[in-house]
Amino acid sequence: MRKQRVSLFLGLALVCSPCLLAQTADGVKPTLTLDAAAQQDLIHLGGQMMMAGKAYEYDRELSDDIGPRLTGSANYGKATDWAVAEFRRLGLSNVHKEGWTIPAAWEPETLATASMILPHEQRLHLESEGWSPSTPPGGVRGSVFYLDDLTVESVRSHAAAIHGAIVLVDGESVDRGIEGGFGKLFDALHEIGTQGAKGLILGIGTTNNAPSFVGLTAFDGSLTNLPSGNLGLEDTLLLKRLLQRGPVEVEYSFKNRIRENVTVNNVVAEIPGTDGTGDYVLIGGHLDSWHPGTGAQDNGTGAATVVAVAQAVMASGVKPKRTMRFVLFGGEEQGTIGSIRYAEKHAGEMNRCVGVFVTDTGAQAPKGWYDFGRSDEAGALKTIQPLLDSLGAGSVSDNGQFTFETDESAFLVKGVPAFVLWTPVDQYFKIHHKPSDTFDKVNQRDLNLGAATVGVTAFAFADAGNTLPQYTAKQVIDQLKTVKAYGQYEDLLQHHVLQP
Ligand SMILES: [Zn+2]
């Protein structure tokens, strides 16, 4: 491990010094201007992050020492205190919390009990879905109705069967219903309660009957209107098979600890720019997590990366021209609420933001950056191509699939150049939102590579002579259409989640 890291550090120095601005074979022109001093600073910073980066230790503290960090929970509060203390210890400026209100904070108070009653008795692997109310005393018991198409129209057309039933939906139902965006999906889930269902079971878990939480908070962090369970995959498949042969009845019971109108804090800290213009880059990620695991990858890795970049900039002594602002958001898992509230509160200075860099795809070794269809971002990244290549992160993806799935989106829609670290997610999706999202899955070298990618890219934008322009509203629309994310954007506008 040590030898590998040393050789990578030497690699950084060798490839970067002579040719940082060289034009590369694919013809994309480097568009950021970095003077010799800025290039040397980048080399120092990259070396610092690989040789002495703190992301791994920070992730361990968040996931092992603090534990799961449900938005608005006591543990989430501990994590914000931890971040404030560390930013202050590192000597950052303007370290503070910024509060916003969530309609409900939610935690499970008891483990659920759940059984199939008909056609025979059998224990089921079910837990309360996030932001579900408790079941009534004595639990919920009823016939199961499988809804294969999770749309408002489908719910209404099955109203008679849904009334008084426990409705089961699974990944296939969601896949058929999600066309056009999450808002329509939440409308359909809400309609199930409106039509008088007794309960709702989400059969979207993965193998080994593990629950996989999604939350049903319809973007604002309020409770769902039905006691809703999350059922493991094998049990879901069993219920579906048995339903083809005759009636199926289940019962379940759980108690959740719910507090209304809770203040949730984002954490903000800065390394002031030397140019005093007020221009800034934002390095961000969400601090909240789901509860069955400890959120080591979703998003311990991202939160740890944010603080590790701050640590490395301070430790290496490099001074960016523009301010580097570090923001840890809450409420991402409830519909990116924390970053949306942040962008609303800071709308007046959004025109000074030259780039947003978000990490939220776990700790596999990075491939590069998602640009969400903003083609000029590739030219800017090209300026530090050798450095990114040495980290294994020299690629750019225009895949728009995740455009509205993490905290860059509130900035992207305002025209700010927005980036999300691109890592493979094949291992990540096996564990995220599940009991197995724990620190043993995190590889120190891979996490350091990702954190270093974030650090050097954000620093390059902070220290460049020029930056990318912000996109106009029309350009944002064209960008979203290019990556087939415009339907989701329209859906979020219709649901008043985002403002144009
Ligand atoms: Zn996440």
Side-chain angles (χ1 to χ4, degrees), residues 286 298-299 332-333 360 405-406 428 432-433:
H286 70 90
D298 188 10
N299 186 31
E332 192 275 350
E333 298 292 1
D360 190 16
E405 296 195 14
T406 191
Y428 172 78
H432 102 303
H433 300 188

Side-chain angles (χ1 to χ4, degrees), residues 8 12 42 45-51 53 55 305 308-309 312 366 369 384 387-388 391 393 421 445-459:
L8 191 134
L12 286 177
L42 275 170
L45 182 61
Q48 175 76 29
M49 295 205 71
M50 287 310 298
M51 292 289 285
T305 291
V309 171
W369 289 101
I384 55 168
L387 184 46
L388 293 174
L391 297 167
L421 187 70
R445 173 182 171 273
D446 291 350
L447 179 56
N448 268 351
L449 287 168
T453 301
V454 175
V456 298
T457 310
F459 189 86

Side-chain angles (χ1 to χ4, degrees), residues 443-500:
N443 174 288
Q444 183 171 16
R445 173 182 171 273
D446 291 350
L447 179 56
N448 268 351
L449 287 168
T453 301
V454 175
V456 298
T457 310
F459 189 86
F461 273 73
D463 213 31
N466 63 326
T467 57
L468 298 179
Q470 294 201 346
Y471 264 14
T472 63
K474 161 111 181 34
Q475 284 176 304
V476 169
I477 289 169
D478 290 343
Q479 174 190 354
L480 293 172
K481 284 179 176 170
T482 303
V483 293
K484 300 184 172 61
Y486 186 68
Q488 289 180 54
Y489 180 49
E490 273 192 313
D491 178 75
L492 294 171
L493 293 177
Q494 284 164 10
H495 288 83
H496 309 290
V497 180
L498 295 172
Q499 318 300 326

